[in-house]
Amino acid sequence: MSAEALRTALDDLVAAGVTAGLAVAEVRDEGARLAAAVAEAVPGAPETWASAVGQDGLTAFFTAASSARRWRSSPTDLLERLVGDGSPHAAGYARALAGVTSAACDLGDAPLDVIARASTTAAVHLAAARTAVPDAPTPPTSIPSAAPTASAAPDRFASPGGASAVVDRAPTGGSGSAATATLGTAAAPEPEPDPRTLEELLADLDALIGLRRVKREIREQAQLLRVEKLRTDAGLTAPTITRHLVFVGNPGTGKTTVARLVAGIYRALGLLSKGHLVEVDRSELVGGYLGQTAHKTSQVVADAVGGVLFVDEAYSLTGDQYGEEAVNTLVKDMEDHRDDLVVIVAGYPGPMGRFLATNPGLESRFSTTITFDDYSDDELTRIFELAATRSDFAPAPATLERFRGVAAAQLRGEGFGNGRWARNMLDKAVLRHAWRLRDVAAPSVDELRTLLPEDLVERPDDGPDEDSAETTGAESTTPESRTPESMTPESAVTTQEPRPALHDAPTAGTDDEEEPA
């Protein structure tokens, strides 16, 4: 992990920005946000990022990341400005952005899929800069290429049955419309209604790993709204029940997946006309100046009418007048489209509570909060096994037992990645598996598929070193001398007591309550 590398990359970006006539504060802020977005799925990155940019807390990191996710596949705002102005300094600024992208991968132990996506991000920015100076040579980037890994598996742990339609919104804002057109950005297609029946959607919900309490509450909410509609259709008086939901919980607990299913379930009940999902964050709601925000937010709502608008890290809309404008516009548009729109806001529990308290209209419209608990050790093990199976690997029984021990030793706090953490562990296991077969000229199919316990280490060169084991002495093997940061998963299993329950995540077979039929 290297905070110094990011500091240096940001300094280089500022130098390139100053040369191009950009404001120092804007350049440094853009670089820090881009780094957070690139490193969002990198274990250990939030703390290193905060040290590099001089900010505190996980919230600052994830807020910065959510505001810049679109830059992983499109030029940054300042680069778009330079390209739109035909600046000869656009290429230099793009090269500096590529340096920030590279440094972001060093903020923690980056999985191979993150490195691959970072390489694509750098290429997008370099390509955009060439539109400003067509004859500019292609500058190199220091980010290594990587083949797709197990992380390419869908972010979904369910039985067969496709997810609801998701609208991929084109990035909005910025002044570089020419660059955006050059990169082939197109308007979002008109979403098709989800064709699945209510029974199929509920079966998909039940097939998700864990989330027992979430499944029960979604079923209860769906039944409540179904009866309300039946009473209304029969001419009876029915209480006005808000359809909008608050999802709270750590990353990787399936909030987006469940939101897609909610969209389809509500469509199947006749509450929504299309049942698609529009997923946005602050960057797609807030404009660059007052007045623009209201237009952007209303356009997002218009895209979501007939389905579900999912606002991730909604608490990032608090604290400034731009976010306040977005919230006020959202509240008004929710009322205008109350018969054919559901809004789901999501984020960490504490910040979401403060977000809802910022506007009286929010509290009255979001009366139902659903908590997504961290996965239990057994559930994380099942996620790891399923992700491996879908990637055509076969973890040995001893490997799954080793993984369960690693999960038991894993600290669970705000920001713990849950399913994302399990897939990162699989990435590392796949890398170690390949390294283990380096001297096998013609491995068998079983050898190519089987993951062994020794594959669950941090890196290929993290195995025991016989020379160092002889010379280090007893101090290095004393459990009391080890810190959680320095322990490998193997040592964590053998030296730590099982982790006490830090949450009330549902564990299969331990909840005596029946789920609603």
Side-chain angles (χ1 to χ4, degrees):
M1 302 181 187
S2 175
E4 186 59 35
L6 180 57
R7 291 193 196 98
T8 300
L10 291 175
D11 289 343
D12 292 343
L13 181 67
V14 167
V18 169
T19 301
L22 301 175
V24 171
E26 290 184 357
V27 171
R28 190 170 293 277
D29 176 69
E30 181 170 270
R33 290 161 59 199
L34 175 62
V38 170
E40 187 174 14
V42 175
E47 296 81 2
T48 312
W49 177 89
S51 173
V53 303
Q55 297 195 41
D56 297 325
L58 289 171
T59 300
F61 173 81
F62 286 110
T63 299
S66 67
S67 72
R69 285 179 189 146
R70 61 192 174 94
W71 294 341
R72 295 195 294 233
S73 57
S74 63
T76 65
D77 292 347
L78 295 180
L79 179 59
E80 280 194 331
R81 183 190 304 173
L82 295 175
V83 171
D85 293 342
S87 171
H89 303 294
Y93 190 74
R95 286 194 293 271
L97 286 172
V100 170
T101 302
S102 178
C105 294
D106 293 331
L107 291 175
D109 190 9
L112 296 181
D113 65 309
V114 170
I115 296 174
R117 287 196 300 269
S119 180
T120 301
T121 297
V124 164
H125 289 85
L126 296 171
R130 288 198 295 276
T131 66
V133 186
D135 296 329
T138 303
T141 174
S142 59
I143 300 176
S145 61
T149 67
S151 284
D155 186 15
R156 191 168 193 273
F157 302 104
S159 61
S164 302
V166 180
V167 174
D168 295 322
R169 304 190 72 256
T172 57
S175 58
S177 58
T180 303
T182 302
L183 292 173
T185 302
E190 182 69 18
E192 295 292 332
D194 189 325
R196 288 175 292 171
T197 66
L198 178 62
E199 291 72 20
E200 291 172 332
L201 290 160
L202 292 176
D204 279 358
L205 177 67
D206 290 339
L208 298 177
I209 291 175
L211 305 179
R212 190 177 185 86
R213 183 165 67 176
V214 172
K215 295 171 185 176
R216 181 174 63 245
E217 292 182 355
I218 292 296
R219 280 179 170 270
E220 289 174 350
Q221 187 74 6
Q223 178 65 7
L224 180 65
L225 293 171
R226 169 181 170 272
V227 171
E228 181 196 30
K229 184 175 186 300
L230 290 174
R231 287 178 59 87
T232 301
D233 293 345
L236 300 174
T237 300
T240 301
I241 300 173
T242 178
R243 308 173 182 184
H244 311 299
L245 302 171
V246 181
F247 286 178
V248 296
N250 272 336
T253 47
K255 294 189 291 293
T256 305
T257 298
V258 173
R260 292 190 185 109
L261 289 171
V262 167
I265 290 170
Y266 282 13
R267 194 277 314 161
L269 290 171
L271 303 174
L272 295 172
S273 59
K274 299 174 184 175
H276 63 293
L277 182 80
V278 174
E279 182 180 0
V280 298
D281 54 34
R282 176 187 168 97
S283 67
E284 291 168 282
L285 298 174
V286 172
Y289 52 84
L290 289 178
Q292 184 187 26
T293 292
H295 175 74
K296 288 184 68 174
T297 301
S298 291
Q299 183 58 54
V300 167
V301 171
D303 291 344
V305 169
V308 169
L309 175 62
F310 182 79
V311 184
D312 201 11
E313 274 108 25
Y315 49 77
S316 64
L317 295 173
T318 61
D320 61 61
Q321 55 187 339
Y322 297 97
E324 182 180 351
E325 183 183 4
V327 170
N328 291 337
T329 304
L330 181 61
V331 169
K332 176 184 179 299
D333 289 349
M334 287 168 63
E335 182 63 25
D336 292 344
H337 302 285
R338 61 183 179 275
D339 294 331
D340 201 18
L341 174 70
V342 170
V343 177
I344 300 177
V345 292
Y348 295 113
M352 286 303 297
R354 293 189 290 273
F355 164 70
L356 295 176
T358 60
N359 186 303
L362 287 176
E363 288 190 294
S364 63
R365 286 168 176 79
F366 292 97
S367 60
T368 303
T369 298
I370 298 178
T371 301
F372 286 67
D373 297 303
D374 287 341
Y375 289 112
S376 69
D377 302 335
D378 286 341
E379 289 161 355
L380 286 171
T381 303
R382 289 169 59 197
I383 289 171
F384 174 84
E385 181 179 17
L386 181 57
T389 301
R390 286 179 171 175
S391 298
D392 211 4
F393 284 93
T399 306
L400 296 178
E401 191 60 33
R402 170 69 63 81
F403 180 90
R404 187 176 288 105
V406 175
Q410 183 70 25
L411 297 178
R412 313 283 174 88
E414 187 175 279
F416 174 62
N418 285 282
R420 184 183 302 165
W421 174 83
R423 292 191 297 278
N424 287 341
M425 287 292 294
L426 178 60
D427 284 344
K428 296 173 185 177
V430 169
L431 178 61
R432 175 61 179 174
H433 166 268
W435 183 255
R436 178 166 52 81
L437 297 179
R438 65 191 182 279
D439 295 326
V440 181
S444 65
V445 173
D446 283 344
E447 288 176 316
L448 290 171
R449 297 185 68 242
T450 303
L451 297 176
L452 299 178
E454 54 264 37
D455 295 330
L456 291 177
V457 297
E458 293 294 327
R459 291 180 180 277
D461 55 355
D462 280 349
D465 186 318
E466 295 181 2
D467 294 335
S468 62
E470 294 175 358
T471 59
T472 302
E475 182 181 358
S476 64
T477 58
T478 303
E480 291 78 2
S481 68
R482 298 182 179 182
T483 62
E485 291 78 14
S486 64
M487 292 172 64
T488 64
E490 292 186 21
S491 64
V493 174
T494 57
T495 63
Q496 281 190 250
E497 293 297 323
R499 172 184 51 77
L502 299 180
H503 54 81
D504 57 349
T507 305
T510 61
D511 190 343
D512 295 329
E513 294 182 278
E514 293 291 329
E515 296 183 7

